[in-house]
Structures are given as C-alpha cells and as structure tokens.
Amino acid sequence: MDIARTDIAAEGALGIGLVVVGLVVVALLIGAFVLGARIKRREPPPPRPEEQPRLPEEGPVHEVREHREPDEVPRSEHRLTPHEMPAHGNVPSRTSTSKARRRWSEGSSGSFGGGGPGRT
C-alpha cells in the first residue's frame, strides 16, 4: 500500500507542477501584452490626412536622363594615391556635350564573357 500512495503522490505533484508552469506562462504572456500596450501608447499617433505628403505644385518629379563625363586620371610615372588626385579624388562628373546615347559594338553583349563573337 505504501508504494501505491507514493505513486499517487508523485502523479499529483507532477500535475500540480504542470499547472504552476502553465500559470507562469500565462502570466508572462499577459505581462508582455500589457508592456506592448504601454509602449504603443507612448508612440506618436499616425499622421492625419492633411499631414500626408503632397505633390509639388509643378507636378510630379520626372527622371532626368543625361550622359555624364568623368574626369580623367592624370597620367604620371608613379602610382597616384587618393590625396594626390585633383580635389582629393572627389571631383564630380560633368554633363556630356554629346546627347547621343552610347551603344555597345555590334555583335557584342557588352559584358565580359557574354558569349558574343567579340571584336575582330
């Protein structure tokens, strides 16, 4: 009889332990929900319709397509470091005088190893 009581007591303790663990998990979930609600309350409200961005008066902004010409690297006998370049290598490109669109050579894909016949 003592063995049967020990088994029943062990099963009862295990059941109580699972209930306690379940209650702890529920308490943690409720705490996380309350904490999230507090953080959400501190955030600024979403913008009203009159605060939304509007189109400029002159209409939508369009893409500008232009050809740019880079500044060439000056030729010298020794390798240049960035601080030796004009304007320390920060010279901006300028608008090209040519308006013609640059094209790849005929029969070439324009990339290295692109499978084209290449230049002859």
Side-chain angles (χ1 to χ4, degrees):
M1 276 228 193
D2 289 334
I3 295 175
R5 284 188 201 152
T6 307
D7 288 342
I8 293 172
E11 288 176 10
L14 181 63
I16 292 172
L18 288 176
V19 169
V20 169
V21 168
L23 289 174
V24 168
V25 168
V26 169
L28 286 173
L29 289 173
I30 291 172
F33 180 77
V34 169
L35 180 64
R38 282 185 187 168
I39 291 172
K40 181 76 174 163
R41 242 183 276 131
R42 279 190 260 152
E43 291 179 356
R48 295 188 305 267
E50 61 269 7
E51 296 173 340
Q52 296 291 332
R54 301 273 181 227
L55 276 176
E57 290 180 11
E58 56 272 359
V61 178
H62 295 287
E63 179 179 321
V64 175
R65 290 187 179 224
E66 63 182 4
H67 297 290
R68 307 292 292 174
E69 286 183 2
D71 275 340
E72 295 296 323
V73 176
R75 301 222 178 244
S76 67
E77 293 294 319
H78 70 283
R79 182 180 296 195
L80 294 176
T81 59
H83 72 274
E84 294 173 323
M85 293 192 62
H88 301 289
N90 293 324
V91 176
S93 60
R94 60 189 178 276
T95 303
S96 174
T97 56
S98 169
K99 301 296 179 192
R101 187 171 166 198
R102 283 185 253 162
R103 300 284 183 180
W104 298 109
S105 59
E106 289 295 322
S108 171
S109 68
S111 64
F112 178 77
R119 291 198 140 181
T120 54

